[in-house]
Amino acid sequence: MTKRTGKKIFFLIASLLISIVLSIVLIKREELVYLLPVKEPQILRDLAYDKDKRLGYTVHIKEEGKLVPYLVLAKNYIGQGNVLLLRKYLLDPPMSFRDGWEEAYYGHSIPDAFMNKDFIKRLSKDIQGNIPLTELGIKPSAENAGMGHIEKIKRKLFLLSDIDVGNDRGKHRMGDERNLLYFKRKGGVKEDRLACLEGDSTPYSWWLRTAFATDSVVVKVVSYEGKLGGGGVPYPAHIRPAFTLPPETEVEEKKINGRKEYVLKIDK
């Protein structure tokens, strides 16, 4: 091999290596994880959609002793350090947001009271004891309207906001609140918003916690077509409970209907 040929090969290899390095650098930081082999999850944070969606981003949680799938959507919801869980299936029956044409205030809503007084009791005592309070931004009540464009409340269980499901112009936004990556997947946001009852493939409308900024008796909903819309407070829609758990909550593998799934170790 001549010196000239050797230099050509050297520069060719060097150029190839530089191209590879540059390609990796140009990949978004959150996507770098997909270049690595899948690791068996040990804690809940490992299952989060925005951590590694290849693991299926689903954990099964007991409701009155029955295992129910929850989507593990965010490893750090609204910058508060906890993992966001969203019930995969809607609850039945649907319910009104308020009794009659009352103010569309989430803090006094029927879904909020139902989730935190009744539905939470369906979860095991161990899960209930580990759910932290999440600080949420909502449209203020009429009596607090002069305090700013959002009111901060704390809840264990809650509904998602319009910002969570893809609205980029939401007004009642907490400082770190942003669109969830799950609802920005390739293929369109509308399909990702579709939700059904367990055992029923028909999509139904479901409530969000966001009231209309310009109408005192209308609340944002996700329609049966997956579109963002509004519903008058006395009209019924389904609810889809969400809550957070500490990221280090341990998970383990379990066979459910012959398939490998994940459950929480503390869920006894």
Side-chain angles (χ1 to χ4, degrees), residues 40-81:
E40 191 63 27
Q42 303 296 317
I43 58 175
L44 189 58
R45 185 178 186 275
D46 295 336
L47 287 174
Y49 182 88
D50 59 0
K51 175 70 165 59
D52 194 340
K53 61 186 177 183
R54 295 174 299 174
L55 292 167
Y57 52 91
T58 302
V59 67
H60 285 71
I61 295 175
K62 288 180 182 176
E63 291 180 9
E64 298 178 326
K66 178 187 175 183
L67 287 171
V68 175
Y70 277 73
L71 304 179
V72 188
L73 294 188
K75 61 182 182 287
N76 182 14
Y77 185 56
I78 319 183
Q80 295 176 37

Side-chain angles (χ1 to χ4, degrees), residues 27 89 99 109 113 120 132 138-139 147 180 193 196 216 219 221 229 237 241 247 256 267:
I27 296 174
Y89 298 113
D99 287 321
S109 69
I120 193 171
I138 62 170
K139 181 182 179 181
M147 298 175 64
L180 296 173
R193 293 179 184 145
C196 309
S216 63
V219 178
V221 297
I256 301 176
D267 198 7

Side-chain angles (χ1 to χ4, degrees), residues 46 88 90 113 129 154 161 174 181 183 186 190 229 237 261:
D46 295 336
K88 181 176 180 179
L90 303 172
K154 293 183 178 181
S161 71
M174 291 280 288
L181 186 61
F183 291 105
K186 291 179 180 178
K190 293 177 186 176
E261 304 287 359

Side-chain angles (χ1 to χ4, degrees), residues 219-239:
V219 178
K220 299 284 182 71
V221 297
V222 174
S223 76
Y224 65 91
E225 296 177 314
K227 298 178 180 178
L228 271 177
V233 293
Y235 300 128
H238 290 275
I239 67 170

Side-chain angles (χ1 to χ4, degrees), residues 38 70 101 126 151 156 185-186 194 214 221 254-255:
V38 176
Y70 277 73
W101 290 101
D126 294 301
E151 178 180 339
K156 282 201 166 189
R185 295 183 292 176
K186 291 179 180 178
L194 295 177
T214 55
V221 297
K254 186 172 184 178
K255 285 283 186 180

Side-chain angles (χ1 to χ4, degrees), residues 112-252:
D112 179 52
F114 169 75
M115 287 186 294
N116 287 283
K117 293 178 181 177
D118 299 313
F119 179 78
I120 193 171
K121 295 176 183 176
R122 300 184 188 182
L123 307 176
S124 69
K125 294 291 185 183
D126 294 301
I127 295 296
Q128 291 181 45
N130 278 274
I131 299 175
L133 288 169
T134 299
E135 189 171 57
L136 310 167
I138 62 170
K139 181 182 179 181
S141 62
E143 60 187 35
N144 293 326
M147 298 175 64
H149 70 280
I150 69 164
E151 178 180 339
K152 294 180 180 179
I153 61 171
K154 293 183 178 181
R155 293 292 188 270
K156 282 201 166 189
L157 275 77
F158 49 88
L159 301 179
L160 294 188
S161 71
D162 62 338
I163 297 169
D164 289 332
V165 299
N167 183 13
D168 290 318
R169 301 177 182 177
K171 183 178 180 181
H172 311 301
R173 180 192 298 261
M174 291 280 288
D176 293 316
E177 193 171 0
R178 62 193 65 187
N179 299 154
L180 296 173
L181 186 61
Y182 174 82
F183 291 105
K184 298 179 75 173
R185 295 183 292 176
K186 291 179 180 178
V189 186
K190 293 177 186 176
E191 291 78 9
D192 302 333
R193 293 179 184 145
L194 295 177
C196 309
L197 300 171
E198 186 172 10
D200 182 355
S201 60
T202 306
Y204 294 98
S205 298
W206 47 288
W207 288 116
L208 299 173
R209 66 173 182 264
T210 310
F212 264 52
T214 55
D215 197 315
S216 63
V217 291
V218 179
V219 178
K220 299 284 182 71
V221 297
V222 174
S223 76
Y224 65 91
E225 296 177 314
K227 298 178 180 178
L228 271 177
V233 293
Y235 300 128
H238 290 275
I239 67 170
R240 198 176 182 186
F243 59 91
T244 65
L245 282 172
E248 67 276 7
T249 304
E250 293 184 296
V251 300
E252 61 184 350

